[in-house]
Amino acid sequence: MRALLVVNPAATTTSARTREVLAHALASDLKLEVAETQYRGHARDLAREAAEGGETDLVVALGGDGTVNEVVNGLLTTGPDPESHPRLAVVPGGSTNVFARALGLPNDVVEATGALLDALRDRSERTVGLGLAAGTPGTPDEGVPSRWFTFCAGFGFDAGVVGRVEQQRERGKRSTHSLYVRQVVRQFLGEANRRRGTITLERPGAEPGTTEVTEHLTMSIICNTAPWSYLGNRPIYPSPEASFDTALDLFALDKFSVPAVTRYASQLLASTPERGPRGKHVLSLHDLTDFTLHSQVPLPFQMDGDHLGLRTSVTFTGVRRALRVIV
């Protein structure tokens, strides 16, 4: 099997020695080419070239969720085609590695490499669904290119937290869970739309040609799988039913007062694969194929933990069976 190993040399939890050992282990079973990323978006470019070349059977992403996201977008430049596109494999090297862990992979580079080699020898793979986000026609964001995401997107509060964390990392801070917690508190204290949400959800109605509208949402999280994220080793499940085998799930709140946030934050921390947050201010929707989120004011937007700036409208599509993954 001809394979490309895409390495993010800045990956949080790997060293040069670890990457060398990993490449040597993979090269024993694969006809391997190794490429290190040199700029933001480079992993996408490398994966796109591998897909377009037609000779690569497998692309292995060594890095965090951001690296995986870039590789996926490179593989799917021309759209999903699981039968002809190279397969994807992931070796977790970031601080959280949600996508890899959601696939059931160990969160340790060495153990994950062993699991990958076993899967390759057993020819074990699955085809997963993905989310697609795009600018909405007829809005100021209609020219924004579409982009795939593997496990989550966020419009509003959680994206603001991601943006704050990225700012801190640019200043030299390490990406730790305590850093995220501090930025959650700061984002909440600085939230300007706590009393009346600015987000409107539009989705197809039960009758053909109709639209269902839900207004005044204060935050929104879109999940392609469960869990949504981790706090340390604790998985967080805003949408426990979300799955790689279905379309997208939406978790949203229509109230962001201190008592409401305290209540639902506690429920999130105690969430399980069987039970997520519940209450009169919670909107929880499962297996959505198409929907749009609008905002009266520009809000932060993130995908797979990558802050993408401010948006006023995003259209989401859940695409089943989009990509083959070695597991």
Side-chain angles (χ1 to χ4, degrees):
M1 183 179 292
R2 186 184 296 271
L4 170 67
L5 173 62
V6 177
V7 178
N8 178 2
T12 306
T13 59
T14 61
S15 64
R17 176 60 178 165
T18 301
R19 296 191 290 272
E20 182 180 334
V21 171
L22 166 62
H24 181 74
L26 292 176
S28 65
D29 281 28
L30 303 167
K31 187 173 182 180
L32 188 69
E33 177 185 352
V34 181
E36 290 194 354
T37 60
Q38 300 175 6
Y39 53 85
R40 187 166 184 164
H42 194 190
R44 178 196 61 224
D45 295 340
L46 291 167
R48 183 187 68 248
E49 291 168 4
E52 292 174 348
E55 297 182 353
T56 302
D57 305 298
L58 172 69
V59 177
V60 183
L62 171 58
D65 289 310
T67 303
V68 175
N69 179 279
E70 288 192 12
V71 168
V72 167
N73 276 276
L75 291 175
L76 274 63
T77 299
T78 59
D81 188 352
E83 299 307 315
S84 65
H85 287 164
R87 300 171 182 84
L88 170 71
V90 178
V91 178
S95 58
T96 309
N97 308 305
V98 178
F99 181 67
R101 293 161 86 173
L103 288 171
L105 294 172
N107 198 35
D108 175 82
V109 174
V110 176
E111 292 181 10
T113 303
L116 171 57
L117 292 172
D118 289 343
L120 288 169
R121 289 162 187 157
D122 296 339
R123 298 184 178 180
S124 175
E125 63 181 55
R126 64 179 292 191
T127 305
V128 301
L130 297 171
L132 183 67
T136 306
T139 72
D141 293 321
E142 66 179 344
V144 176
S146 59
R147 179 165 171 170
W148 297 92
F149 59 97
T150 63
F151 66 91
C152 85
F155 188 45
F157 180 81
D158 84 300
V161 174
V162 170
R164 286 177 177 270
V165 169
E166 287 192 6
Q167 288 178 348
Q168 294 299 313
R169 294 186 65 181
E170 289 171 359
R171 295 170 184 168
K173 298 290 182 65
R174 292 186 64 250
S175 179
T176 63
H177 296 292
S178 61
L179 175 63
Y180 273 89
V181 171
R182 291 196 301 273
Q183 302 315 311
V184 166
V185 173
R186 290 173 181 171
Q187 182 68 22
F188 175 74
L189 294 176
E191 185 64 42
N193 304 300
R194 274 192 267 171
R195 293 185 178 273
R196 187 175 178 85
T198 66
I199 300 173
T200 296
L201 165 67
E202 293 183 359
R203 59 190 177 112
E207 299 297 327
T210 64
T211 302
E212 291 187 13
V213 177
T214 306
E215 298 181 308
H216 306 307
L217 301 175
T218 58
M219 67 166 291
S220 57
I221 294 173
I222 302 90
C223 291
N224 185 50
T225 188
W228 161 61
S229 190
Y230 291 83
L231 185 61
N233 289 319
R234 179 188 291 275
I236 308 296
Y237 296 92
S239 300
E241 292 184 287
S243 166
F244 288 129
D245 298 319
T246 62
L248 302 174
D249 282 30
L250 173 67
F251 170 82
L253 297 177
D254 65 10
K255 190 172 184 179
F256 222 53
S257 64
V258 172
V261 169
T262 301
R263 181 185 313 118
Y264 297 125
S266 298
Q267 291 184 10
L268 270 175
L269 291 174
S271 60
T272 68
E274 292 75 35
R275 185 175 180 82
R278 296 288 187 273
K280 64 180 181 180
H281 299 296
V282 171
L283 176 65
S284 184
L285 300 173
H286 174 58
D287 198 16
L288 302 178
T289 302
D290 299 284
F291 63 97
T292 296
L293 295 174
H294 301 281
S295 175
Q296 300 166 19
V297 298
L299 293 178
F301 180 57
Q302 66 90 10
M303 296 172 66
D304 288 346
D306 188 9
H307 187 265
L308 299 178
L310 300 178
R311 303 280 178 85
T312 56
S313 185
V314 187
T315 294
F316 296 91
T317 306
V319 181
R320 296 177 177 85
R321 299 185 59 79
L323 184 67
R324 289 184 299 172
V325 183
I326 303 295
V327 290

